[in-house]
Amino acid sequence: MHVDAVIFDLDGTLADTLRDIAQAMDRVLASAGLPTHDEDSYRRFVGRGARVLVQLALPEEARDQEEAVLAAFLADYGEHLVIATRPYPGVDALLETLASRAPRPRLAVLSNKPHDATQRVVATIFPHHPFDAVYGQRPDWPRKPDPASALALAAELGVEPTRCLFVGDTAVDMETALRAGMTPVGCLWGFRDREELIRAGAAALVSRPAEIDRLLDRSPTS
């Protein structure tokens, strides 16, 4: 398999964003007099967009506060996007390696984080690694695992979906890749476990970012 593009999820794949997300959500819950959660619980809450995060964080008896809590979370998180957030170890080196390849694969980000926040996080923590395209959750576009944004991204990159690696850390990412006709690659340093990624159809699992570079020269299933 020849790879012309690598599309990355952001949260749990390129960057460890968990603490900033968890603290923003907990501040909003606490201010509303609602129970907060330990940081590890947010590993299960994130991945399907801000609204689903809020739905999972709210207790059943407070579901009527969803819209207010969502708005408050987006405002708070927007002010605290990159406090503890950092690239995972090895990610910067991987991006440098991919950028030095000849020919260079197209590099992109597709996240369920709101579009503006996605672009701001990427620009802040990867200032020396310009991506060819960065998509977050955009108005009027379905969130992952719907393949529409992944296919639009491939079209913008000028790459056939079958020649794209889609790298992520959740079942949502693996399903997105499969539905878009891309090769799903599960990263084991993220927010979910090996079993979830295998069940969701990962064609390859990587334990270190450097391993992604090697997949460009062979089929992940070989």
Side-chain angles (χ1 to χ4, degrees):
M1 178 188 68
H2 182 75
V3 174
D4 291 329
V6 183
I7 300 173
F8 295 94
D9 171 52
L10 178 58
D11 303 276
T13 300
L14 290 176
D16 186 352
T17 58
L18 192 65
R19 178 159 296 178
D20 286 336
I21 293 171
Q23 290 184 349
M25 189 74 254
D26 275 354
R27 282 191 295 269
V28 170
L29 292 171
S31 69
L34 298 170
T36 59
H37 304 275
D38 62 90
E39 187 174 305
D40 200 54
S41 295
Y42 285 94
R43 293 180 179 274
R44 303 187 304 274
F45 295 171
V46 300
R48 286 177 283 175
R51 182 174 294 277
V52 175
L53 165 65
V54 168
Q55 291 169 348
L56 293 173
L58 282 174
E60 187 68 34
E61 64 273 15
R63 291 295 171 84
D64 60 335
Q65 299 184 49
E66 178 181 322
E67 294 302 327
V69 171
L70 175 60
F73 168 73
L74 292 175
D76 186 295
Y77 184 50
E79 295 178 0
H80 305 91
L81 275 177
V82 190
I83 306 300
T85 291
R86 298 290 185 272
Y88 282 105
V91 167
D92 278 314
L94 168 67
L95 295 175
E96 290 176 5
T97 298
L98 294 177
S100 68
R101 274 181 162 261
R104 183 181 79 83
R106 310 300 297 277
L107 302 176
V109 175
L110 177 58
S111 175
N112 272 341
K113 186 190 294 293
H115 185 63
D116 176 69
T118 298
Q119 292 196 316
R120 288 168 56 200
V121 169
V122 171
T124 301
I125 67 174
F126 299 114
H128 305 300
H129 301 298
F131 288 88
D132 296 294
V134 176
Y135 285 10
Q137 174 59 43
R138 298 169 294 166
D140 303 323
W141 282 81
R143 65 178 185 268
K144 296 182 297 182
D146 189 291
S149 288
L151 292 171
L153 187 50
E156 180 175 330
L157 298 175
V159 175
E160 289 295 324
T162 55
R163 295 167 79 95
C164 296
L165 292 185
F166 195 107
V167 183
D169 68 308
T170 70
V172 167
D173 297 311
M174 302 303 97
E175 184 179 345
T176 302
L178 291 170
R179 293 175 66 181
M182 300 175 180
T183 299
V185 177
C187 62
L188 298 174
W189 56 83
F191 298 158
R192 305 293 172 75
D193 58 26
R194 175 187 295 267
E195 289 70 26
E196 174 174 324
L197 295 169
I198 291 172
R199 287 196 304 269
L205 298 175
V206 290
S207 58
R208 297 183 299 113
E211 296 172 20
I212 295 169
D213 178 58
R214 301 175 197 147
L215 295 180
L216 273 66
D217 297 319
R218 64 178 178 85
S219 167
T221 57
S222 64

